[in-house]
Amino acid sequence: MKILPGPASKELGEKIAELLGVEAVPVFFKVFPDGESYVRIEGAVEGEKAVIVQTTSPPQDIRIVQLALIADAAKRKNARKVVAVVPYLAYARQDKAFLQGEAVSIEAIARMLKAAGVDSLITVNVHEKKVLEKFPFPAKSLSAIPLLAEYFRQKGFEEAFALAPDKGAINIAEEAAKVLGGECGYLEKRRDRYTGHVTVEKKEFNVKDKTVIIFDDIISTGGTIVAAAKILHELGAAKIYAACVHPLLVGEAEKRIREAEVAEIVGTDSIPSQVSKVSLAPLIAKALKELKSG
Ligand code: R5P
């Protein structure tokens, strides 16, 4: 097995290679003056399981193309198998046609990656696991929630209330509560499919004077966390924290969340950012170790 750290996840890829004790093969990349991407694998991968580590956070389209080009290059260098490790899988939220005439974007991307040479894929906390069943190759999603919860546990937040901002994320809150040892719950969230505006319905939790950690897969504009924090303040929570696997933090998201009196935002290095305090390297290395012998 050899690790190919893609331009979007160079540091994470190198950490994974170090944990596994395998070679990290450098991938040179550049952008042509007209905006086209170029990649070159600078080492041997012949007969190897080539594991490309490349997240697809913004600029998503460029990073997806880079991933496809690296897969193509690996196959041309006679890699035995190409495994794509894509910590943040862009387009996964468009996993069905919500409105008539829409594309099922994630399925189109998966087919594109298959055509480029990807044989299997590992991602982390994909928005909806079911979508992976429709991929044209084996794909699995790991969960980084225990790692995020452990970060808070080590800070002494045992028994903090773990909150999911919507019903679909209740499994996330339950996973976190297992590590923290406290209660968990969820809010009801609605998003307007045309405007993107988020409304969160109040629920009667007993969070008065308690520390609450909101766990979500993604923080994008911050609208979900801000709406949830507002309700938690109304319910008398003592302190509110926000944790997510994929800190997209678009535009002024971080500022908006801090203004909503959220004490700390914690994310992973799925998307390198200033809130990426938890590394996915041990989680991904463990999953790859299981593949190593295969
Ligand atoms: C959507 O259902 C996801 O789980 C997140 O809650 C969502 O993507 C967060 O987006 P935003 O930060 O823009 O509210």
Side-chain angles (χ1 to χ4, degrees):
M1 175 179 287
K2 292 203 180 175
I3 306 290
L4 278 60
S9 297
K10 193 168 178 296
E11 213 174 296
L12 177 61
E14 283 166 359
K15 263 192 202 164
I16 293 169
E18 201 182 316
L19 285 176
L20 287 170
V22 301
E23 189 189 339
V25 178
V27 178
F28 174 81
F29 81 101
K30 66 177 179 182
V31 179
F32 285 110
D34 64 356
E36 286 181 2
S37 296
Y38 168 94
V39 305
R40 187 175 66 239
I41 298 172
E42 298 190 308
V45 291
E46 194 178 340
E48 298 279 351
K49 192 168 272 176
V51 179
I52 308 165
V53 183
Q54 168 87 342
T55 205
T56 55
S57 52
Q60 297 90 330
D61 298 357
I62 290 176
R63 288 171 165 180
I64 289 168
V65 170
Q66 286 171 338
L67 172 60
L69 297 184
I70 302 169
D72 182 77
K75 276 281 159 78
R76 285 173 198 277
K77 287 198 115 189
N78 297 320
R80 184 164 52 90
K81 269 205 164 160
V82 173
V83 180
V85 171
V86 189
Y88 173 67
L89 186 59
Y91 291 100
R93 284 178 287 179
Q94 185 70 21
D95 56 1
K96 59 181 168 197
F98 297 93
L99 301 174
Q100 223 185 359
E102 287 181 346
V104 181
S105 313
I106 191 58
E107 286 189 33
I109 300 290
R111 288 198 302 273
M112 200 182 99
L113 292 176
K114 164 90 179 162
V118 170
D119 295 306
S120 67
L121 182 141
I122 296 175
T123 185
V124 182
N125 291 96
V126 68
H127 186 63
E128 174 56 67
K129 258 190 181 172
K130 267 196 209 132
V131 74
L132 301 180
E133 291 166 15
K134 296 205 177 140
F135 280 21
F137 41 62
K140 74 165 162 187
S141 176
L142 311 173
S143 177
I145 298 301
L147 288 177
L148 285 167
E150 182 59 25
Y151 171 93
F152 285 100
R153 204 185 63 82
Q154 280 184 14
K155 279 183 99 166
F157 289 14
E158 288 105 342
E159 305 209 354
F161 191 101
L163 183 85
D166 63 51
K167 201 175 177 180
I170 182 62
N171 56 325
I172 284 182
E174 284 169 353
E175 247 187 300
K178 262 190 209 150
V179 176
L180 291 165
E183 290 172 75
C184 66
Y186 63 90
L187 294 169
E188 296 278 1
K189 180 178 95 174
R190 257 173 221 91
R191 188 185 292 273
D192 185 306
R193 286 272 154 214
Y194 291 94
T195 63
H197 183 73
V198 168
T199 43
V200 177
E201 227 172 77
K202 194 168 175 177
K203 277 204 169 187
E204 293 310 318
F205 295 121
N206 184 14
V207 291
K208 194 161 168 45
D209 301 327
K210 287 188 187 165
T211 295
V212 182
I213 309 167
I214 309 167
F215 285 89
D216 209 349
D217 55 348
I218 301 168
I219 299 180
S220 180
T221 64
T224 302
I225 299 290
V226 169
K230 188 169 172 276
I231 289 176
L232 291 170
H233 282 302
E234 285 168 12
L235 293 173
K239 256 195 159 178
I240 301 167
Y241 292 79
C244 72
V245 179
H246 310 297
L248 276 169
L249 298 173
V250 173
E252 302 231 291
E254 210 179 326
K255 186 166 167 259
R256 288 178 71 197
I257 294 172
R258 293 201 195 284
E259 282 172 2
E261 290 177 53
V262 170
E264 188 183 352
I265 310 167
V266 179
T268 78
D269 53 2
S270 134
I271 300 173
S273 77
Q274 45 189 7
V275 307
S276 300
K277 300 166 190 171
V278 172
S279 179
L280 295 177
L283 179 73
I284 295 171
K286 186 169 170 272
L288 289 174
K289 217 178 236 173
E290 288 159 20
L291 274 186
K292 215 172 159 189
S293 51

